[in-house]
Amino acid sequence: MKHMKVGGLMTDEVVSAVPAASFREVAKMLAEHDISGVPVVDEDDHVVGVVSESDLLARHELTARELMNTPALTIHAEETVADAARLMVRRGVERLPVVDEEERLVGIVTRRDLLCVYLRPDSEIRRHIREDVLTDAMDLPADVVDVHVLDGVVKLGGRVRRRSQALMLVGLAESVDGVVTVVDRLSFHEDDTRLKSSTRTPHDISL
């Protein structure tokens, strides 16, 4: 399965501050560039902290070194957009500095950037489900399942051999970049999960 990487969405022209930057200098950066926070980097471009608007409003220390939140919360460019979204939600942040293999600043990604994933064309989502999920991941003919996509909502219809295949197909489709939700209209010949678990949501069995 191919997933969109943080490096493909990030802004690579990053406004950053040095630890010695004054309160006024940081405030001016935020105002001039219409941003809500800046990473603070050392002389080797390593991210040592982040200063946000709320940090400026809550405290009046003299330098970025005193204002910044540490340790710096960062993400690597090769991590997926889903990883970035989970980290932002879990830690309650609006932006993540993006670093390379040597932990040097290469970009920044915001929640607004991540929302762009959900503007992915329906035709592209459908193609990825048919090629990446059905053909590559599950080794099934692309036409064995009807895939309809409208505004990111995926509807899956048709019949597969086993219930476990239907469950896997729904799960994989949900993980495709840009999918809002999956409507399951699949049926199957054989329930091969009955002995494994009795708690999963049942599908209709077609004989």
Side-chain angles (χ1 to χ4, degrees), residues 80 123 176 196 207:
T80 68
S123 59
V176 170
K196 298 177 184 177
L207 301 176

Side-chain angles (χ1 to χ4, degrees), residues 3-111:
H3 293 287
M4 194 174 294
K5 301 298 179 63
V6 170
L9 284 180
M10 71 181 188
T11 299
D12 54 12
E13 295 182 3
V14 190
V15 177
S16 62
V18 296
S22 69
F23 181 104
R24 179 180 285 271
E25 287 173 330
V26 175
K28 186 177 180 180
M29 286 180 190
L30 298 186
E32 287 185 348
H33 296 278
D34 192 24
I35 52 179
S36 60
V38 291
V40 181
V41 298
D42 63 16
E43 60 274 11
D44 296 317
D45 278 339
H46 294 147
V47 182
V48 294
V50 174
V51 178
S52 67
E53 288 176 328
S54 58
D55 296 323
L56 293 175
L57 294 173
R59 303 195 300 275
H60 292 85
E61 282 81 357
L62 296 179
T63 66
R65 180 183 290 106
E66 298 165 310
L67 287 163
M68 67 186 184
N69 288 301
T70 58
L73 185 64
T74 62
I75 193 163
H76 287 89
E78 288 304 306
E79 294 190 60
T80 68
V81 169
D83 291 331
R86 282 192 290 267
L87 183 56
M88 284 186 184
V89 171
R90 187 169 65 247
R91 300 296 292 272
V93 298
E94 298 291 329
R95 74 202 66 77
L96 288 171
V98 184
V99 296
D100 62 14
E101 297 83 357
E102 298 180 5
E103 303 299 322
R104 294 175 303 193
L105 181 68
V106 294
I108 196 160
V109 65
T110 66
R111 290 194 180 197

Side-chain angles (χ1 to χ4, degrees), residues 21-207:
S22 69
F23 181 104
R24 179 180 285 271
E25 287 173 330
V26 175
K28 186 177 180 180
M29 286 180 190
L30 298 186
E32 287 185 348
H33 296 278
D34 192 24
I35 52 179
S36 60
V38 291
V40 181
V41 298
D42 63 16
E43 60 274 11
D44 296 317
D45 278 339
H46 294 147
V47 182
V48 294
V50 174
V51 178
S52 67
E53 288 176 328
S54 58
D55 296 323
L56 293 175
L57 294 173
R59 303 195 300 275
H60 292 85
E61 282 81 357
L62 296 179
T63 66
R65 180 183 290 106
E66 298 165 310
L67 287 163
M68 67 186 184
N69 288 301
T70 58
L73 185 64
T74 62
I75 193 163
H76 287 89
E78 288 304 306
E79 294 190 60
T80 68
V81 169
D83 291 331
R86 282 192 290 267
L87 183 56
M88 284 186 184
V89 171
R90 187 169 65 247
R91 300 296 292 272
V93 298
E94 298 291 329
R95 74 202 66 77
L96 288 171
V98 184
V99 296
D100 62 14
E101 297 83 357
E102 298 180 5
E103 303 299 322
R104 294 175 303 193
L105 181 68
V106 294
I108 196 160
V109 65
T110 66
R111 290 194 180 197
R112 181 175 297 178
D113 296 327
L114 300 186
L115 287 176
C116 291
V117 173
Y118 293 98
L119 301 179
R120 194 178 192 187
D122 291 337
S123 59
E124 188 175 325
I125 294 173
R126 182 176 184 271
R127 178 173 60 82
H128 276 269
I129 291 176
R130 287 169 60 88
E131 295 178 1
D132 296 346
V133 175
L134 285 169
T135 303
D136 294 344
M138 300 193 64
D139 197 27
L140 293 172
D143 58 357
V144 73
V145 170
D146 296 322
V147 181
H148 298 281
V149 185
L150 180 62
D151 294 335
V153 177
V154 176
K155 292 184 180 180
L156 300 176
R159 186 188 308 175
V160 293
R161 181 63 188 170
R162 296 183 298 275
R163 185 186 182 204
S164 60
Q165 290 178 311
L167 293 170
M168 182 180 294
L169 176 52
V170 171
L172 291 175
E174 287 174 339
S175 72
V176 170
D177 293 330
V179 171
V180 175
T181 191
V182 175
V183 178
D184 179 6
R185 294 289 184 266
L186 294 169
S187 59
F188 49 86
H189 292 286
E190 173 190 350
D191 186 354
D192 60 337
T193 67
R194 185 172 298 171
L195 297 178
K196 298 177 184 177
S197 173
S198 60
T199 61
R200 294 177 177 172
T201 302
H203 286 64
D204 294 330
I205 300 179
S206 298
L207 301 176

